[in-house]
Amino acid sequence: MKQPPKISEIRNWLIAKNPLGAFRRKKFIIKDIDPKPWSGHFNYLIDAGEKKFVLRFKGPEWGEPTRGVIDEFKVLKKVERYNVGPKVYYLDTDFFGEPMILEECLDGRIFTSFPFSRQDKIFSMAARFIAKINKIPIDKKSFPFRKPATSYQVHKESWRKRLKIILRDRRTKKWGQKVMKLLPRANKMLDRFESLLKYVLKRHGPAFIFESAHAGHLMKVRQNLRFLNWEQVSYGDPAYTLSVFLASISRHQDFERIKDKMIKAYLEKNPVADFRALIEQRLSEREVSNLIWILWAYVQKNDTRSVEKATDVLERFKRVRKILK
């Protein structure tokens, strides 16, 4: 939905439905806890006295509003035993016309909110945590897996579809044309990457992949870590999940040291042949994919800022052009 219900409407719905028998009393607190105005989901803290929940449903983001939240519920139920995400308690498929879930309210702090001195102490821990996720058994029958990351070719199709949307919008057309000129080289780059990925998959088998492993989705919870936003999972490339995290911190001035530190910590828990080379390949793919994603998202969000003045796009374009030389 584009706009969430009013808090008073959410309150009345919870009283009427009384999920988990937690809302018989009318005295409970509802608080909007979305970190930014535009979000892929709407999130509300529900403080019902003895229990606290996060009420979560699809926000104004593009995508599949029905499948996404339902998939997230299924995934969180399946991975609960591994302590990698919040527990999920309740699913309703008709919350003002859309699915919603009630999940555990984690008592912790988002990784990106820590000062760097504190973050630096967590990087190795995060790499070992990602190695743990990658070793979750792959059950294709019960996990709602999306497209497997067993080949880079899937990105070619994604790039092509998103560039069509970018080129149709007058605000992003010029950037789209610039990216289109780089696309043949980007496609050839992916072709070169295939042999190593196939070799590693043949030797080690596919890894469980958490696709949203951004630094902003990582939470420090006491002595442990948890990831949020479990809507999309896949399987395949063992370097995928860690590369998503590394790509989200790639602008850090000390990035190369951090990358080396995280790779070493990962390999201690999950030895993978040619892992460093696989990480470099995946990071290159992520650079191209993220540049195209930013332009595509600009159109999808109907962003009012001038994309011509967006320094983030310019910096990413320069990085992609350097990679493809």
Side-chain angles (χ1 to χ4, degrees):
M1 62 181 72
K2 296 294 183 183
Q3 296 293 331
K6 295 178 181 178
I7 284 182
S8 59
E9 294 174 323
I10 295 175
R11 178 182 298 278
N12 290 337
W13 189 94
L14 289 169
I15 292 171
K17 288 277 190 174
N18 191 27
L20 306 172
F23 301 96
R24 289 191 180 91
R25 298 187 310 147
K26 294 186 179 181
K27 290 184 178 181
F28 53 89
I29 299 170
I30 305 175
K31 182 181 179 181
D32 185 348
I33 56 171
D34 273 333
K36 52 188 176 182
W38 183 280
S39 175
H41 296 81
F42 292 113
N43 296 281
Y44 291 85
L45 172 64
I46 312 295
D47 187 344
E50 294 181 0
K51 295 183 178 180
K52 290 182 180 180
F53 307 96
V54 172
L55 187 153
R56 178 172 168 83
F57 55 102
K58 197 72 175 179
E61 190 186 55
W62 49 92
E64 303 167 283
T66 301
R67 179 181 173 185
V69 174
I70 293 173
D71 281 359
E72 185 165 16
F73 182 83
K74 291 177 180 177
V75 170
L76 285 171
K77 277 293 187 186
K78 286 287 294 180
V79 301
E80 183 175 324
R81 72 186 76 173
Y82 303 106
N83 296 318
V84 292
K87 295 178 181 178
V88 67
Y89 303 117
Y90 179 83
L91 168 69
D92 195 293
T93 57
D94 188 15
F95 178 75
F96 296 93
E98 293 189 10
M100 78 81 162
I101 56 177
L102 287 176
E103 65 181 30
E104 177 185 13
C105 178
L106 293 170
D107 183 14
R109 185 173 171 182
I110 295 294
F111 173 81
T112 51
S113 70
F114 286 111
F116 177 72
S117 59
R118 183 74 185 280
Q119 289 182 5
D120 201 40
K121 296 177 181 178
I122 303 174
F123 284 125
S124 294
M125 184 180 179
R128 291 190 290 268
F129 180 58
I130 288 170
K132 175 183 177 181
I133 291 171
N134 285 165
K135 290 193 284 188
I136 292 174
I138 296 168
D139 183 351
K140 296 180 184 179
K141 291 183 179 179
S142 57
F143 273 111
F145 289 126
R146 303 296 176 102
K147 293 180 180 178
T150 53
S151 169
Y152 293 98
Q153 301 309 307
V154 65
H155 302 295
K156 290 183 180 181
E157 180 66 13
S158 176
W159 293 348
R160 186 185 63 80
K161 288 181 178 179
R162 288 179 173 178
L163 277 168
K164 276 188 176 181
I165 295 169
I166 292 165
L167 290 167
R168 283 201 301 262
D169 193 288
R170 60 179 178 80
R171 300 168 301 167
T172 53
K173 185 176 180 180
K174 287 183 180 179
W175 272 117
Q177 290 171 338
K178 290 180 180 180
V179 175
M180 280 296 292
K181 290 180 181 179
L182 298 178
L183 201 60
R185 278 182 278 168
N187 287 334
K188 287 181 180 178
M189 176 186 74
L190 295 189
D191 291 340
R192 293 196 306 271
F193 290 170
E194 285 292 341
S195 59
L196 179 61
L197 177 58
K198 288 180 180 177
Y199 165 75
V200 173
L201 288 174
K202 184 177 181 180
R203 182 168 175 179
H204 296 279
F208 183 96
I209 293 173
F210 170 56
E211 296 188 24
S212 297
H214 306 287
H217 291 159
L218 183 65
M219 179 173 277
K220 180 73 170 62
V221 184
R222 295 183 181 178
Q223 302 302 313
N224 299 303
L225 298 173
R226 297 286 188 276
F227 268 123
L228 306 176
N229 195 22
W230 282 82
E231 188 172 302
Q232 294 186 30
V233 293
S234 184
Y235 61 92
D237 184 358
Y240 194 105
T241 309
L242 181 57
S243 295
V244 170
F245 186 89
L246 287 169
S248 71
I249 61 168
S250 61
R251 292 187 176 190
H252 196 284
Q253 61 181 5
D254 209 12
F255 175 67
E256 290 300 323
R257 180 187 65 83
I258 295 167
K259 179 175 68 175
D260 184 64
K261 181 178 183 177
M262 294 193 75
I263 291 173
K264 285 179 179 177
Y266 181 98
L267 291 172
E268 288 172 3
K269 290 292 182 181
N270 190 20
V272 175
D274 296 298
F275 189 67
R276 289 178 183 275
L278 208 58
I279 285 284
E280 295 300 334
Q281 288 190 174
R282 184 56 68 179
L283 285 174
S284 294
E285 174 272 310
R286 289 287 87 194
E287 285 286 2
V288 180
S289 293
N290 288 338
L291 170 61
I292 294 173
W293 184 91
I294 285 173
L295 292 167
W296 173 76
Y298 184 93
V299 177
Q300 298 298 105
K301 295 178 182 180
N302 195 25
D303 204 320
T304 57
R305 296 169 298 173
S306 171
V307 72
E308 293 296 329
K309 297 179 181 179
T311 56
D312 184 45
V313 175
L314 178 59
E315 289 173 7
R316 286 185 180 277
F317 180 79
K318 287 179 178 178
R319 289 165 68 167
V320 167
R321 190 166 57 185
K322 184 177 180 181
I323 288 169
L324 297 176
K325 277 186 177 178

mmCIF file of all heavy atoms in Angstrom, residues 293-325:
data_model
loop_
_atom_site.group_PDB
_atom_site.id
_atom_site.type_symbol
_atom_site.label_atom_id
_atom_site.label_comp_id
_atom_site.label_asym_id
_atom_site.label_seq_id
_atom_site.Cartn_x
_atom_site.Cartn_y
_atom_site.Cartn_z
ATOM 1 N N TRP A 293 20.373 -0.299 -10.255
ATOM 2 C CA TRP A 293 19.293 -0.305 -9.262
ATOM 3 C C TRP A 293 18.963 1.103 -8.792
ATOM 4 O O TRP A 293 17.782 1.469 -8.665
ATOM 5 C CB TRP A 293 19.685 -1.172 -8.061
ATOM 6 C CG TRP A 293 18.580 -1.295 -7.044
ATOM 7 C CD1 TRP A 293 17.606 -2.252 -6.992
ATOM 8 C CD2 TRP A 293 18.330 -0.412 -5.935
ATOM 9 N NE1 TRP A 293 16.769 -2.029 -5.924
ATOM 10 C CE2 TRP A 293 17.187 -0.904 -5.272
ATOM 11 C CE3 TRP A 293 18.949 0.735 -5.459
ATOM 12 C CZ2 TRP A 293 16.651 -0.275 -4.140
ATOM 13 C CZ3 TRP A 293 18.420 1.364 -4.340
ATOM 14 C CH2 TRP A 293 17.286 0.855 -3.688
ATOM 15 N N ILE A 294 19.975 1.918 -8.527
ATOM 16 C CA ILE A 294 19.746 3.270 -8.031
ATOM 17 C C ILE A 294 18.935 4.086 -9.042
ATOM 18 O O ILE A 294 17.989 4.795 -8.682
ATOM 19 C CB ILE A 294 21.083 3.968 -7.713
ATOM 20 C CG1 ILE A 294 21.661 3.418 -6.413
ATOM 21 C CG2 ILE A 294 20.909 5.484 -7.599
ATOM 22 C CD1 ILE A 294 23.052 3.926 -6.102
ATOM 23 N N LEU A 295 19.288 3.985 -10.327
ATOM 24 C CA LEU A 295 18.555 4.713 -11.362
ATOM 25 C C LEU A 295 17.135 4.179 -11.514
ATOM 26 O O LEU A 295 16.168 4.932 -11.652
ATOM 27 C CB LEU A 295 19.305 4.615 -12.687
ATOM 28 C CG LEU A 295 20.651 5.352 -12.740
ATOM 29 C CD1 LEU A 295 21.438 4.922 -13.974
ATOM 30 C CD2 LEU A 295 20.455 6.858 -12.720
ATOM 31 N N TRP A 296 17.005 2.855 -11.467
ATOM 32 C CA TRP A 296 15.685 2.219 -11.555
ATOM 33 C C TRP A 296 14.808 2.618 -10.375
ATOM 34 O O TRP A 296 13.622 2.949 -10.535
ATOM 35 C CB TRP A 296 15.886 0.710 -11.614
ATOM 36 C CG TRP A 296 14.642 -0.109 -11.547
ATOM 37 C CD1 TRP A 296 13.736 -0.320 -12.539
ATOM 38 C CD2 TRP A 296 14.177 -0.868 -10.417
ATOM 39 N NE1 TRP A 296 12.734 -1.155 -12.112
ATOM 40 C CE2 TRP A 296 12.981 -1.503 -10.813
ATOM 41 C CE3 TRP A 296 14.659 -1.066 -9.134
ATOM 42 C CZ2 TRP A 296 12.266 -2.321 -9.952
ATOM 43 C CZ3 TRP A 296 13.945 -1.886 -8.276
ATOM 44 C CH2 TRP A 296 12.757 -2.500 -8.687
ATOM 45 N N ALA A 297 15.408 2.614 -9.177
ATOM 46 C CA ALA A 297 14.659 2.987 -7.970
ATOM 47 C C ALA A 297 14.219 4.445 -8.020
ATOM 48 O O ALA A 297 13.155 4.804 -7.517
ATOM 49 C CB ALA A 297 15.514 2.736 -6.727
ATOM 50 N N TYR A 298 15.028 5.301 -8.629
ATOM 51 C CA TYR A 298 14.677 6.713 -8.782
ATOM 52 C C TYR A 298 13.357 6.848 -9.540
ATOM 53 O O TYR A 298 12.481 7.631 -9.166
ATOM 54 C CB TYR A 298 15.799 7.439 -9.536
ATOM 55 C CG TYR A 298 15.596 8.932 -9.673
ATOM 56 C CD1 TYR A 298 16.129 9.818 -8.747
ATOM 57 C CD2 TYR A 298 14.873 9.453 -10.739
ATOM 58 C CE1 TYR A 298 15.936 11.188 -8.873
ATOM 59 C CE2 TYR A 298 14.668 10.815 -10.875
ATOM 60 C CZ TYR A 298 15.209 11.682 -9.938
ATOM 61 O OH TYR A 298 15.001 13.028 -10.067
ATOM 62 N N VAL A 299 13.210 6.045 -10.587
ATOM 63 C CA VAL A 299 11.973 6.064 -11.361
ATOM 64 C C VAL A 299 10.830 5.466 -10.559
ATOM 65 O O VAL A 299 9.730 6.025 -10.484
ATOM 66 C CB VAL A 299 12.146 5.295 -12.690
ATOM 67 C CG1 VAL A 299 10.831 5.259 -13.474
ATOM 68 C CG2 VAL A 299 13.251 5.923 -13.533
ATOM 69 N N GLN A 300 11.081 4.331 -9.929
ATOM 70 C CA GLN A 300 10.030 3.628 -9.201
ATOM 71 C C GLN A 300 9.488 4.449 -8.032
ATOM 72 O O GLN A 300 8.306 4.408 -7.723
ATOM 73 C CB GLN A 300 10.560 2.290 -8.682
ATOM 74 C CG GLN A 300 11.000 1.326 -9.767
ATOM 75 C CD GLN A 300 9.867 0.924 -10.693
ATOM 76 O OE1 GLN A 300 9.799 1.392 -11.821
ATOM 77 N NE2 GLN A 300 8.989 0.070 -10.223
ATOM 78 N N LYS A 301 10.373 5.176 -7.380
ATOM 79 C CA LYS A 301 9.964 5.998 -6.234
ATOM 80 C C LYS A 301 9.362 7.331 -6.652
ATOM 81 O O LYS A 301 8.852 8.058 -5.805
ATOM 82 C CB LYS A 301 11.174 6.290 -5.342
ATOM 83 C CG LYS A 301 11.790 5.088 -4.666
ATOM 84 C CD LYS A 301 13.007 5.533 -3.859
ATOM 85 C CE LYS A 301 13.704 4.376 -3.180
ATOM 86 N NZ LYS A 301 14.878 4.815 -2.408
ATOM 87 N N ASN A 302 9.475 7.656 -7.953
ATOM 88 C CA ASN A 302 9.089 8.974 -8.432
ATOM 89 C C ASN A 302 9.815 10.055 -7.635
ATOM 90 O O ASN A 302 9.221 11.021 -7.154
ATOM 91 C CB ASN A 302 7.577 9.166 -8.345
ATOM 92 C CG ASN A 302 7.107 10.353 -9.166
ATOM 93 O OD1 ASN A 302 7.761 10.756 -10.132
ATOM 94 N ND2 ASN A 302 5.988 10.930 -8.772
ATOM 95 N N ASP A 303 11.111 9.875 -7.493
ATOM 96 C CA ASP A 303 11.960 10.758 -6.685
ATOM 97 C C ASP A 303 11.921 12.177 -7.265
ATOM 98 O O ASP A 303 12.014 12.377 -8.472
ATOM 99 C CB ASP A 303 13.402 10.238 -6.698
ATOM 100 C CG ASP A 303 14.191 10.697 -5.486
ATOM 101 O OD1 ASP A 303 14.020 11.858 -5.081
ATOM 102 O OD2 ASP A 303 14.982 9.897 -4.961
ATOM 103 N N THR A 304 11.780 13.154 -6.401
ATOM 104 C CA THR A 304 11.682 14.552 -6.840
ATOM 105 C C THR A 304 13.046 15.240 -6.915
ATOM 106 O O THR A 304 13.157 16.340 -7.444
ATOM 107 C CB THR A 304 10.784 15.354 -5.883
ATOM 108 O OG1 THR A 304 11.306 15.252 -4.546
ATOM 109 C CG2 THR A 304 9.354 14.826 -5.904
ATOM 110 N N ARG A 305 14.089 14.600 -6.372
ATOM 111 C CA ARG A 305 15.416 15.200 -6.451
ATOM 112 C C ARG A 305 15.966 15.094 -7.868
ATOM 113 O O ARG A 305 15.599 14.201 -8.615
ATOM 114 C CB ARG A 305 16.365 14.500 -5.471
ATOM 115 C CG ARG A 305 15.990 14.674 -4.014
ATOM 116 C CD ARG A 305 16.810 13.746 -3.137
ATOM 117 N NE ARG A 305 16.555 12.347 -3.469
ATOM 118 C CZ ARG A 305 17.241 11.340 -2.953
ATOM 119 N NH1 ARG A 305 18.222 11.571 -2.105
ATOM 120 N NH2 ARG A 305 16.948 10.088 -3.289
ATOM 121 N N SER A 306 16.867 15.989 -8.218
ATOM 122 C CA SER A 306 17.450 15.979 -9.556
ATOM 123 C C SER A 306 18.484 14.869 -9.668
ATOM 124 O O SER A 306 19.498 14.879 -8.975
ATOM 125 C CB SER A 306 18.104 17.328 -9.863
ATOM 126 O OG SER A 306 18.836 17.258 -11.068
ATOM 127 N N VAL A 307 18.242 13.908 -10.548
ATOM 128 C CA VAL A 307 19.194 12.813 -10.722
ATOM 129 C C VAL A 307 20.472 13.316 -11.386
ATOM 130 O O VAL A 307 21.540 12.725 -11.228
ATOM 131 C CB VAL A 307 18.553 11.668 -11.543
ATOM 132 C CG1 VAL A 307 18.401 12.050 -13.000
ATOM 133 C CG2 VAL A 307 19.371 10.393 -11.418
ATOM 134 N N GLU A 308 20.386 14.424 -12.108
ATOM 135 C CA GLU A 308 21.574 14.993 -12.751
ATOM 136 C C GLU A 308 22.574 15.489 -11.714
ATOM 137 O O GLU A 308 23.768 15.565 -11.979
ATOM 138 C CB GLU A 308 21.169 16.150 -13.685
ATOM 139 C CG GLU A 308 20.368 15.713 -14.897
ATOM 140 C CD GLU A 308 21.153 14.805 -15.824
ATOM 141 O OE1 GLU A 308 22.380 14.955 -15.907
ATOM 142 O OE2 GLU A 308 20.541 13.939 -16.467
ATOM 143 N N LYS A 309 22.074 15.859 -10.537
ATOM 144 C CA LYS A 309 22.949 16.368 -9.489
ATOM 145 C C LYS A 309 23.263 15.319 -8.424
ATOM 146 O O LYS A 309 23.846 15.625 -7.390
ATOM 147 C CB LYS A 309 22.300 17.591 -8.833
ATOM 148 C CG LYS A 309 22.091 18.767 -9.788
ATOM 149 C CD LYS A 309 21.412 19.931 -9.080
ATOM 150 C CE LYS A 309 21.180 21.090 -10.043
ATOM 151 N NZ LYS A 309 20.492 22.220 -9.388
ATOM 152 N N ALA A 310 22.851 14.096 -8.671
ATOM 153 C CA ALA A 310 23.043 13.024 -7.684
ATOM 154 C C ALA A 310 24.498 12.559 -7.698
ATOM 155 O O ALA A 310 24.928 11.852 -8.611
ATOM 156 C CB ALA A 310 22.102 11.858 -7.967
ATOM 157 N N THR A 311 25.273 12.987 -6.710
ATOM 158 C CA THR A 311 26.695 12.617 -6.656
ATOM 159 C C THR A 311 26.869 11.116 -6.489
ATOM 160 O O THR A 311 27.862 10.544 -6.962
ATOM 161 C CB THR A 311 27.398 13.345 -5.499
ATOM 162 O OG1 THR A 311 26.709 13.052 -4.272
ATOM 163 C CG2 THR A 311 27.392 14.847 -5.726
ATOM 164 N N ASP A 312 25.922 10.467 -5.837
ATOM 165 C CA ASP A 312 26.013 9.026 -5.631
ATOM 166 C C ASP A 312 26.035 8.294 -6.973
ATOM 167 O O ASP A 312 26.812 7.360 -7.180
ATOM 168 C CB ASP A 312 24.827 8.553 -4.787
ATOM 169 C CG ASP A 312 24.920 7.070 -4.459
ATOM 170 O OD1 ASP A 312 26.018 6.625 -4.089
ATOM 171 O OD2 ASP A 312 23.911 6.368 -4.580
ATOM 172 N N VAL A 313 25.194 8.717 -7.905
ATOM 173 C CA VAL A 313 25.145 8.088 -9.227
ATOM 174 C C VAL A 313 26.457 8.323 -9.965
ATOM 175 O O VAL A 313 27.020 7.407 -10.573
ATOM 176 C CB VAL A 313 23.952 8.633 -10.043
ATOM 177 C CG1 VAL A 313 23.981 8.066 -11.463
ATOM 178 C CG2 VAL A 313 22.639 8.285 -9.369
ATOM 179 N N LEU A 314 26.953 9.542 -9.920
ATOM 180 C CA LEU A 314 28.194 9.872 -10.622
ATOM 181 C C LEU A 314 29.366 9.049 -10.084
ATOM 182 O O LEU A 314 30.155 8.495 -10.857
ATOM 183 C CB LEU A 314 28.502 11.363 -10.481
ATOM 184 C CG LEU A 314 29.813 11.849 -11.135
ATOM 185 C CD1 LEU A 314 29.808 11.546 -12.630
ATOM 186 C CD2 LEU A 314 30.014 13.341 -10.874
ATOM 187 N N GLU A 315 29.472 8.948 -8.764
ATOM 188 C CA GLU A 315 30.562 8.184 -8.160
ATOM 189 C C GLU A 315 30.470 6.708 -8.540
ATOM 190 O O GLU A 315 31.484 6.070 -8.858
ATOM 191 C CB GLU A 315 30.527 8.343 -6.639
ATOM 192 C CG GLU A 315 30.941 9.732 -6.165
ATOM 193 C CD GLU A 315 30.727 9.918 -4.679
ATOM 194 O OE1 GLU A 315 30.387 8.919 -4.003
ATOM 195 O OE2 GLU A 315 30.901 11.036 -4.188
ATOM 196 N N ARG A 316 29.277 6.165 -8.499
ATOM 197 C CA ARG A 316 29.100 4.754 -8.852
ATOM 198 C C ARG A 316 29.410 4.518 -10.333
ATOM 199 O O ARG A 316 29.994 3.498 -10.696
ATOM 200 C CB ARG A 316 27.675 4.303 -8.519
ATOM 201 C CG ARG A 316 27.434 4.132 -7.032
ATOM 202 C CD ARG A 316 26.056 3.577 -6.748
ATOM 203 N NE ARG A 316 25.818 3.420 -5.323
ATOM 204 C CZ ARG A 316 26.209 2.373 -4.608
ATOM 205 N NH1 ARG A 316 26.843 1.383 -5.189
ATOM 206 N NH2 ARG A 316 25.949 2.307 -3.317
ATOM 207 N N PHE A 317 29.003 5.457 -11.180
ATOM 208 C CA PHE A 317 29.284 5.327 -12.609
ATOM 209 C C PHE A 317 30.789 5.299 -12.864
ATOM 210 O O PHE A 317 31.276 4.488 -13.654
ATOM 211 C CB PHE A 317 28.635 6.484 -13.379
ATOM 212 C CG PHE A 317 28.866 6.424 -14.858
ATOM 213 C CD1 PHE A 317 28.115 5.568 -15.656
ATOM 214 C CD2 PHE A 317 29.850 7.198 -15.456
ATOM 215 C CE1 PHE A 317 28.334 5.502 -17.031
ATOM 216 C CE2 PHE A 317 30.074 7.130 -16.821
ATOM 217 C CZ PHE A 317 29.310 6.281 -17.609
ATOM 218 N N LYS A 318 31.522 6.161 -12.188
ATOM 219 C CA LYS A 318 32.980 6.198 -12.350
ATOM 220 C C LYS A 318 33.610 4.879 -11.911
ATOM 221 O O LYS A 318 34.544 4.374 -12.542
ATOM 222 C CB LYS A 318 33.565 7.358 -11.543
ATOM 223 C CG LYS A 318 33.287 8.734 -12.130
ATOM 224 C CD LYS A 318 33.888 9.825 -11.251
ATOM 225 C CE LYS A 318 33.656 11.215 -11.836
ATOM 226 N NZ LYS A 318 34.193 12.284 -10.951
ATOM 227 N N ARG A 319 33.098 4.313 -10.830
ATOM 228 C CA ARG A 319 33.634 3.054 -10.333
ATOM 229 C C ARG A 319 33.363 1.919 -11.306
ATOM 230 O O ARG A 319 34.227 1.061 -11.557
ATOM 231 C CB ARG A 319 33.050 2.749 -8.950
ATOM 232 C CG ARG A 319 33.596 3.662 -7.870
ATOM 233 C CD ARG A 319 32.792 3.614 -6.609
ATOM 234 N NE ARG A 319 32.869 2.344 -5.902
ATOM 235 C CZ ARG A 319 32.449 2.174 -4.659
ATOM 236 N NH1 ARG A 319 31.928 3.197 -3.989
ATOM 237 N NH2 ARG A 319 32.550 1.006 -4.074
ATOM 238 N N VAL A 320 32.175 1.896 -11.865
ATOM 239 C CA VAL A 320 31.815 0.858 -12.838
ATOM 240 C C VAL A 320 32.680 1.001 -14.091
ATOM 241 O O VAL A 320 33.200 0.000 -14.623
ATOM 242 C CB VAL A 320 30.318 0.943 -13.197
ATOM 243 C CG1 VAL A 320 30.002 0.095 -14.429
ATOM 244 C CG2 VAL A 320 29.473 0.481 -12.022
ATOM 245 N N ARG A 321 32.855 2.217 -14.557
ATOM 246 C CA ARG A 321 33.662 2.441 -15.753
ATOM 247 C C ARG A 321 35.117 1.990 -15.520
ATOM 248 O O ARG A 321 35.752 1.418 -16.420
ATOM 249 C CB ARG A 321 33.623 3.927 -16.117
ATOM 250 C CG ARG A 321 34.240 4.240 -17.475
ATOM 251 C CD ARG A 321 33.869 5.636 -17.919
ATOM 252 N NE ARG A 321 34.279 6.631 -16.935
ATOM 253 C CZ ARG A 321 33.994 7.936 -17.026
ATOM 254 N NH1 ARG A 321 33.289 8.379 -18.065
ATOM 255 N NH2 ARG A 321 34.400 8.772 -16.103
ATOM 256 N N LYS A 322 35.611 2.209 -14.314
ATOM 257 C CA LYS A 322 36.978 1.781 -13.976
ATOM 258 C C LYS A 322 37.074 0.256 -13.969
ATOM 259 O O LYS A 322 38.055 -0.320 -14.473
ATOM 260 C CB LYS A 322 37.368 2.340 -12.611
ATOM 261 C CG LYS A 322 38.797 2.039 -12.200
ATOM 262 C CD LYS A 322 39.134 2.683 -10.873
ATOM 263 C CE LYS A 322 40.568 2.385 -10.457
ATOM 264 N NZ LYS A 322 40.890 3.002 -9.139
ATOM 265 N N ILE A 323 36.075 -0.411 -13.411
ATOM 266 C CA ILE A 323 36.052 -1.876 -13.363
ATOM 267 C C ILE A 323 36.040 -2.471 -14.762
ATOM 268 O O ILE A 323 36.698 -3.489 -15.036
ATOM 269 C CB ILE A 323 34.806 -2.376 -12.576
ATOM 270 C CG1 ILE A 323 34.987 -2.099 -11.082
ATOM 271 C CG2 ILE A 323 34.553 -3.868 -12.814
ATOM 272 C CD1 ILE A 323 33.728 -2.314 -10.278
ATOM 273 N N LEU A 324 35.353 -1.820 -15.688
ATOM 274 C CA LEU A 324 35.141 -2.368 -17.027
ATOM 275 C C LEU A 324 36.206 -1.949 -18.038
ATOM 276 O O LEU A 324 36.084 -2.262 -19.226
ATOM 277 C CB LEU A 324 33.751 -1.953 -17.540
ATOM 278 C CG LEU A 324 32.556 -2.474 -16.736
ATOM 279 C CD1 LEU A 324 31.266 -1.917 -17.293
ATOM 280 C CD2 LEU A 324 32.528 -3.994 -16.708
ATOM 281 N N LYS A 325 37.240 -1.258 -17.598
ATOM 282 C CA LYS A 325 38.302 -0.859 -18.518
ATOM 283 C C LYS A 325 39.009 -2.083 -19.094
ATOM 284 O O LYS A 325 39.248 -3.052 -18.413
ATOM 285 C CB LYS A 325 39.334 0.006 -17.772
ATOM 286 C CG LYS A 325 38.896 1.467 -17.692
ATOM 287 C CD LYS A 325 40.004 2.313 -17.079
ATOM 288 C CE LYS A 325 39.613 3.786 -17.061
ATOM 289 N NZ LYS A 325 40.653 4.635 -16.434
#
